[in-house]
Amino acid sequence: KGVEIEEIIVLAGRSYLDPLREREAFSAGIDPTVTFPLQTNDLGGIGEQMGWLSERIAAESAEQTRLVADGGEYRHPLEDIDGLEEIEVECAVAIETPDEPGYCDGWSATIELDEPAEFDPDTARITLPGFNWECPECGQPHEFNVEGIRVSNLV
């Protein structure tokens, strides 16, 4: 959320790119600049491409002389659910098996919890009071996307 992408760098050979270009995959609704360094540098086969990439990695590694950190602390994604009394839930089976819609066609719902959700930072687990951990459509008993975050009741 909120990440602005300025450039997409595609590292693939012509045999992979040509079918995508034929389908206009790199121009249909893409705002950032799309670059193809393996083609613009006129690199031949996989050997030349891997050599060129290795040189770039070595150059970047040599330039970085110190580790820079922002000084921040890790924030667990489940912390965003902490305190919510109403959650958006989606069955994970539908996400994992999109080619099998007969199994679960993407059950989702807005669920009102009995009490606010509670995140425990010590165990990195979220408690969702009153949430039934079974998809009403396919019966899958433990994995859902809650507010866009994969959550499981398995220990």
Side-chain angles (χ1 to χ4, degrees), residues 10-89:
V10 181
L11 300 173
R14 276 187 182 79
S15 60
Y16 294 99
L17 291 177
D18 288 346
L20 294 171
R21 283 186 174 128
E22 288 171 11
R23 292 174 181 85
E24 298 180 358
F26 301 111
S27 59
I30 297 177
D31 290 331
T33 304
V34 181
T35 60
F36 308 89
L38 300 181
Q39 282 68 51
T40 55
N41 289 293
D42 197 29
L43 300 170
I46 189 75
E48 282 185 52
Q49 294 171 4
M50 295 302 288
W52 184 84
L53 288 168
S54 294
E55 288 171 10
R56 298 297 153 303
I57 292 169
E60 287 296 317
S61 299
E63 289 177 15
Q64 185 170 345
T65 58
R66 61 189 171 97
L67 177 63
V68 179
D70 67 2
E73 293 182 22
Y74 172 74
R75 179 170 162 73
H76 197 286
L78 290 175
E79 289 182 58
D80 293 338
I81 299 173
D82 188 50
L84 294 181
E85 295 179 13
E86 188 176 274
I87 55 174
E88 296 293 324
V89 180

Side-chain angles (χ1 to χ4, degrees), residues 125 133 142-144 150-155:
R125 293 189 54 86
W133 287 92
H142 52 77
E143 286 199 30
F144 294 86
R150 182 64 60 93
V151 177
S152 175
N153 70 342
L154 298 176
V155 176

